[in-house]
Amino acid sequence: LAIKCGVPVIPGTDGPCTSLEQARDFIENEKNGIGYPVMCKATMGGGGRGMRVVRSAGELEEHYNSASREALTAFGDGTMFIERLVERPRHVEVQIIGDGKGGAVHLFERDCSVQRRHQKIV
């Protein structure tokens, strides 16, 4: 939806990668690969589980397989999304509460940039 609406997004796979070879091709494809560094992210993940930073081709196999195993154990699905790594990102959330009858309020924004192992701590 974001892409259809013209919202800038981080370059990444359109769907989950089911193999190391598929991930490698997406990253290293001569014509349209995104290159390194990348983040391997569990398709069904959350809380920072099943995520690994890959800075070079030499790290890909170890980190992809490690993240995939962790995701399979934690979530029952070892497939992975691959995204370009954003160094030192800002993570800002806006929380909205609705009453189910048309009333809604926002609770302002909160900066969730302070994280440990890809998990918010503030």
Side-chain angles (χ1 to χ4, degrees), residues 14-62:
D14 291 334
C17 291
T18 58
S19 70
L20 172 63
E21 292 73 27
Q22 188 180 10
R24 187 182 315 278
D25 184 57
F26 177 78
I27 299 164
E28 298 176 3
N29 183 292
E30 200 170 298
K31 189 172 185 176
N32 57 0
I34 65 171
Y36 294 95
V38 298
M39 176 72 81
C40 294
K41 299 173 72 174
T43 302
M44 303 300 286
R49 306 218 35 210
M51 294 176 68
R52 300 290 187 282
V53 172
V54 179
R55 297 194 177 279
S56 68
E59 295 179 351
L60 180 60
E61 183 173 0
E62 176 186 350

Side-chain angles (χ1 to χ4, degrees), residues 58-116:
E59 295 179 351
L60 180 60
E61 183 173 0
E62 176 186 350
H63 293 320
Y64 178 94
N65 289 335
S66 175
S68 181
R69 280 191 309 271
E70 181 177 2
L72 184 59
T73 300
F75 309 114
D77 184 330
T79 61
M80 306 296 292
F81 288 121
I82 307 298
E83 296 178 352
R84 169 84 41 92
L85 177 66
V86 177
E87 302 277 0
R88 298 181 49 173
R90 296 296 306 234
H91 178 147
V92 178
E93 295 180 355
V94 176
Q95 297 182 343
I96 300 170
I97 296 177
D99 62 10
K101 298 176 184 165
V105 297
H106 69 84
L107 302 176
F108 301 94
E109 69 279 351
R110 69 178 182 151
D111 187 342
C112 304
S113 299
V114 178
Q115 298 193 11
R116 181 175 45 91

